[in-house]
Amino acid sequence: MQMVILRRNNGGETVPLTQTRAEGYLTELLTRQRKRNRLGPLMRSLSKAFDGRGLPTGRYRYNGFPVRHASAGRDGAGVTLFYYVQNDTLKLFAMGEHMEGRANVTKYRITIYGQSGSDFDMDSIIAI
């Protein structure tokens, strides 16, 4: 399986990347944002996504596909990947982090990058 990363705000996409190449690309992104404390959770989230352990994201859809998420870490040092699967390729389009929520609702905030004009815009809250 490979991953294509859709750049923020519909800014194009990468070529298909192996897990190792996706790790490198996203490590650069976190480093530029001074969020290197999230590298461990990034690696764990990517492993979950590539291993098929991502979870459904409720009613949310992106580009017409049901959204999945893979998450690791908490308390300001976590990473949640939002993606969909198309033709056995993971399409990553937003990144954020887990938030505290009520017992029956899990919440995430888009804090690393998102897609303007969608439910996954920067600072949006995703509630499942």
Side-chain angles (χ1 to χ4, degrees), residues 2-38:
Q2 295 192 317
M3 176 180 276
V4 170
I5 298 170
L6 285 65
R7 294 182 182 99
R8 71 177 178 203
N9 300 329
N10 302 309
E13 60 185 48
T14 66
V15 298
L17 304 171
T18 63
Q19 183 174 346
T20 301
R21 301 235 4 239
E23 286 173 1
Y25 183 95
L26 296 172
T27 293
E28 281 187 36
L29 176 68
L30 290 177
T31 299
R32 282 194 309 270
Q33 293 185 12
R34 300 184 196 286
K35 295 179 180 178
R36 290 188 57 83
N37 63 324
R38 298 176 189 224

Side-chain angles (χ1 to χ4, degrees), residues 49-61:
F50 273 90
D51 292 346
R53 294 182 288 134
L55 300 172
T57 309
R59 65 170 178 78
Y60 293 97
R61 298 179 75 76

Side-chain angles (χ1 to χ4, degrees), residues 68-88:
R68 299 190 68 76
H69 69 280
S71 195
R74 286 183 170 257
D75 300 326
V79 170
T80 301
L81 307 175
F82 293 95
Y83 63 96
Y84 59 92
V85 180
Q86 182 181 23
N87 300 325
D88 292 324

Side-chain angles (χ1 to χ4, degrees), residues 55-58 60 69 71 74 80 82 97-109 125-128:
L55 300 172
T57 309
Y60 293 97
H69 69 280
S71 195
R74 286 183 170 257
T80 301
F82 293 95
E97 62 189 282
H98 186 269
M99 296 175 58
E100 292 303 317
R102 295 189 316 262
N104 61 341
V105 177
T106 304
K107 291 184 179 182
Y108 303 88
R109 184 182 299 275
I125 294 174
I126 305 301
I128 304 170

